[in-house]
Structure formats: C-alpha cells, structure tokens
Amino acid sequence: MSVCEDCKKGFNWNGETVGTETTIGESQTYVTGTSKSAAILLVHDIFGWTFPNLRILADHFAKECNATVYIPNYFGDEIVQESTMDDPEKWAKFDVGAFIGRQNKEKRWPEIKAHAQILKTQYPKVGAVGYCYGGWACFQLGADPALIDCITMAHPSMVTKEEIAGVSVPVQINASEHDHAYTEELKEYGNKVIPTRGVPYEYVFYPGVRHGFAAKGDQSDGTQRVALERCKRATVNFFNEFLH
C-alpha cells in the first residue's frame, strides 16, 4: 500500500463530542476538559483539527487523564474533510504529497512551539500527543523539557533520526506493524538510541495493523478495534504516569 493510500484510508467513528471551540494564540482550537493541573496538546493528522475521531479521543483523554486537551488548527484554511476517506472521487483527487508540501515543518513548527509555550504558562504539567503528521512535532517538542513534560505518538510520520536522537523527556511510541512512515529502520533506530537518552521510554507494538489505525481504524474489524482501543489505553496510562 502506498503512502497516499495509507494516509487517506480510514473509517469514521460513531460518537458525540463534548468539547467547545476556542482559540489558542491566533489558532482555532478544540478544547475539552476542565483540569487546572495538566494540559495535553494534541497535534492532529492530515484530517485536521475538525476530525471527529480525534475530538472523540481528546474527550477520552480529558476524562481519563484529568487533563484539559487542546487540538489547535495547524492547517489554516485548508481543511481535509473526513468524507475523503470514503468518497472515491475526493479520495482520488487528494494529493497527500502536495498537501504535506504546503503544510511543511518549517511553516507549522513556530505555531506548535508557541502553543506549548502558552500552555506551560497556564498549567503545571503539559504533555503532547501526535497522530501521523503530529509525530514529528512531538519529537521536536520533546527535545526541550522547558516546552513539554512528556510526549506520546501513534504511527508517527515525517520523523528524522536527528529528531529521535534529540528526545529529552519521557516518550511513548505506539507503532503499527505495517508503516510506510515509521519504517522498520526508524523503529530499530529509535529502540536503540532512545534508551541511551536517560529518559523513560515505552515502545508499544501493534501487530496486524497499518499506519493510521489509532486515529481512523475500522471498529468493525476485530484486529483493528483491539489495537485502537489498546492504543488509547496505553496513551491514557502514559499521561497518568507523567502528568500527575
């Protein structure tokens, strides 16, 4: 399966969201939870800050991690509708490579860093979680303990070895067996280098699933459902350990 197919493929989940829309800095933001003791910055995948699946996950984290969770908009006016996943015409027209080129690291990193800095002035503890596109951002945040207290990610993409080697806070990686982005080479590198960084490290492996499972897996498929539920629990446990 190609990079474009993996990134565009997925399923919408059933569920009502309970958060509200506000702003952080100058960015539109979904916020959920009322905690004053901890915040979580969720860096979305290519389906952006309005993606209901990620808002559902944010609601879970807010409740189960005693945290206030923020999903800022990192793609500006360019919103990829979740219907792209099951509309053949939209799916065929969506050029993931070109999209990532427009929404590149250099363009979006200043916003992500600024949001972490804002949250650090408001909460005693701040963690970050990234899905797919958000993975590289978590690693960059994790290079500076003044920005973030811990990072976790599922099937991260756009990650470099230099970013992996720079991690300086507790880190969790939820890795799918089949992943064009977090490749076998990067998995091996991370599992070799991160333990030398002197920070707590948890690597969780999910057999039988592909890149994207934790954010848009098929809940009607037993293997995918078990994996995405297990990933949610692992993320909750990680945040409860390092944010409280």
Side-chain angles (χ1 to χ4, degrees), residues 21 68 74 102 149 175 190 192 210 218 236:
E21 294 184 3
T68 303
Y74 290 121
R102 295 189 297 272
D149 293 289
K192 178 181 178 180
R210 306 194 71 88
D218 182 359
V236 167

Side-chain angles (χ1 to χ4, degrees), residues 171-176 182 184 187 191 201-205:
V171 56
Q172 178 191 66
I173 299 174
N174 293 286
S176 51
Y182 199 61
E184 294 303 309
K187 290 172 185 173
N191 287 335
Y201 173 46
E202 181 178 22
Y203 176 82
V204 190
F205 179 73

Side-chain angles (χ1 to χ4, degrees), residues 81-103:
Q81 298 296 328
E82 62 270 15
S83 58
T84 301
M85 293 187 293
D86 49 30
D87 184 318
E89 185 175 352
K90 291 181 181 179
W91 195 91
K93 289 181 178 179
F94 181 33
D95 186 335
V96 176
F99 179 84
I100 295 301
R102 295 189 297 272
Q103 305 293 347

Side-chain angles (χ1 to χ4, degrees), residues 6-223:
D6 272 342
C7 289
K8 294 189 291 186
K9 185 179 176 63
F11 295 82
N12 291 304
W13 300 341
N14 295 321
E16 297 295 326
T17 59
V18 299
T20 59
E21 294 184 3
T22 183
T23 58
I24 179 172
E26 298 181 354
S27 300
Q28 300 165 291
T29 301
Y30 178 79
V31 61
T32 179
T34 58
S35 174
K36 302 298 183 183
S37 61
I40 295 171
L41 179 64
L42 192 158
V43 188
H44 53 66
D45 68 0
I46 61 173
F47 288 94
W49 78 292
T50 61
F51 189 24
N53 290 11
L54 291 187
R55 292 189 174 195
I56 290 170
L57 283 172
D59 291 341
H60 276 281
F61 297 151
K63 181 179 180 180
E64 298 174 38
C65 305
N66 184 27
T68 303
V69 185
Y70 297 82
I71 312 178
N73 174 17
Y74 290 121
F75 295 156
D77 294 331
E78 192 167 15
I79 299 295
V80 181
Q81 298 296 328
E82 62 270 15
S83 58
T84 301
M85 293 187 293
D86 49 30
D87 184 318
E89 185 175 352
K90 291 181 181 179
W91 195 91
K93 289 181 178 179
F94 181 33
D95 186 335
V96 176
F99 179 84
I100 295 301
R102 295 189 297 272
Q103 305 293 347
N104 56 65
K105 295 183 182 183
E106 291 74 18
K107 181 176 182 178
R108 293 307 178 191
W109 169 244
E111 294 173 293
I112 295 168
K113 180 180 179 180
H115 294 158
Q117 290 172 321
I118 290 170
L119 294 180
K120 283 292 282 184
T121 68
Q122 300 174 352
Y123 295 88
K125 292 281 188 176
V126 180
V129 56
Y131 293 88
C132 309
Y133 177 93
W136 68 266
C138 286
F139 269 116
Q140 289 202 18
L141 289 170
D144 186 355
L147 288 176
I148 211 80
D149 293 289
C150 60
I151 58 172
T152 175
M153 63 210 77
H155 36 77
S157 64
M158 301 169 63
V159 176
T160 68
K161 289 183 177 180
E162 291 75 19
E163 289 167 343
I164 293 172
V167 68
S168 300
V169 300
V171 56
Q172 178 191 66
I173 299 174
N174 293 286
S176 51
E177 179 178 2
H178 308 289
D179 199 327
H180 66 273
Y182 199 61
T183 62
E184 294 303 309
E185 181 182 2
L186 288 175
K187 290 172 185 173
E188 182 179 358
Y189 183 81
N191 287 335
K192 178 181 178 180
V193 172
I194 297 176
T196 71
R197 296 293 297 162
V199 296
Y201 173 46
E202 181 178 22
Y203 176 82
V204 190
F205 179 73
Y206 299 83
V209 292
R210 306 194 71 88
H211 178 88
F213 79 92
K216 47 189 187 288
D218 182 359
Q219 293 177 312
S220 68
D221 178 271
T223 299

